[in-house]
Amino acid sequence: MPKKLLVLFISIFVLSCKSDDNSIDCSLVDCFVGEDSIRLKFLSLENDDNLLANGTLNSGDIQIFNEQNQTVTFSIEEYPSIGMIVVVPVSTEEFGQKSFTINIEDESSSVSFNTTFMQGECCGPYTSIEDVETTISYDHTLKEYDSLPLSITFYIPST
């Protein structure tokens, strides 16, 4: 009899621990805060100096236009880990094809991509990006993720 009671108690205990809730526990997830922007960094080709930080480039040397050829207002921000960058907002009022022309002094470059709304299970919403294409007249690196922000580093030779 005591063995049967012990087996019954263990069975009840095991069954009571089973969860019928199939939802995902997001309490331990550390979410990335999405930023709908393009981050542009301008470095010297010769020595990797940040051209915004050393004053070689300033906001007046840079013009940015969207797919409707409208001027895009950008900001220059400084981050401890990456230095001074240009932050270009990407509108999410409508999703779809986005295109930007970046004029630096007399050189013109472009970047285009497709945007869609993305809602994660625990985090989000985010703006996902696909089909990134660039035509950049300088040496550059592109850090492309599944979602914004998109980061481009331009390596500009001294003149």
Side-chain angles (χ1 to χ4, degrees), residues 41-56 81-85 139-141 153-158:
K41 189 173 185 179
F42 302 100
L43 300 180
S44 166
L45 179 63
E46 291 78 22
N47 58 18
D48 282 349
D49 278 353
N50 187 310
L51 299 178
L52 291 169
N54 71 14
T56 302
S81 60
I82 56 177
M84 292 184 80
I85 61 171
D139 288 344
H140 67 282
T141 58
T153 300
F154 292 78
Y155 296 94
I156 301 175
S158 60

Side-chain angles (χ1 to χ4, degrees), residues 35-133:
E35 180 185 321
D36 294 328
S37 67
I38 301 172
R39 296 175 171 189
L40 306 175
K41 189 173 185 179
F42 302 100
L43 300 180
S44 166
L45 179 63
E46 291 78 22
N47 58 18
D48 282 349
D49 278 353
N50 187 310
L51 299 178
L52 291 169
N54 71 14
T56 302
L57 278 181
N58 61 55
S59 61
D61 298 324
I62 304 165
Q63 293 179 315
I64 301 174
F65 302 95
N66 63 16
E67 59 273 4
Q68 287 89 28
N69 206 29
Q70 298 168 327
T71 301
V72 176
T73 302
F74 58 87
S75 61
I76 296 178
E77 299 178 14
E78 186 169 9
Y79 294 89
S81 60
I82 56 177
M84 292 184 80
I85 61 171
V86 169
V87 178
V88 182
V90 176
S91 173
T92 56
E93 290 179 17
E94 292 182 18
F95 294 99
Q97 190 66 31
K98 303 290 181 183
S99 175
F100 294 89
T101 301
I102 305 156
N103 293 333
I104 306 160
E105 297 174 332
D106 294 331
E107 295 291 329
S108 184
S109 301
S110 67
V111 60
S112 63
F113 48 88
N114 192 43
T115 61
T116 55
F117 178 81
M118 180 174 66
Q119 176 67 49
E121 290 186 34
C122 292
C123 301
Y126 298 115
T127 301
S128 70
I129 57 173
E130 299 174 322
D131 306 323
V132 177
E133 294 183 19

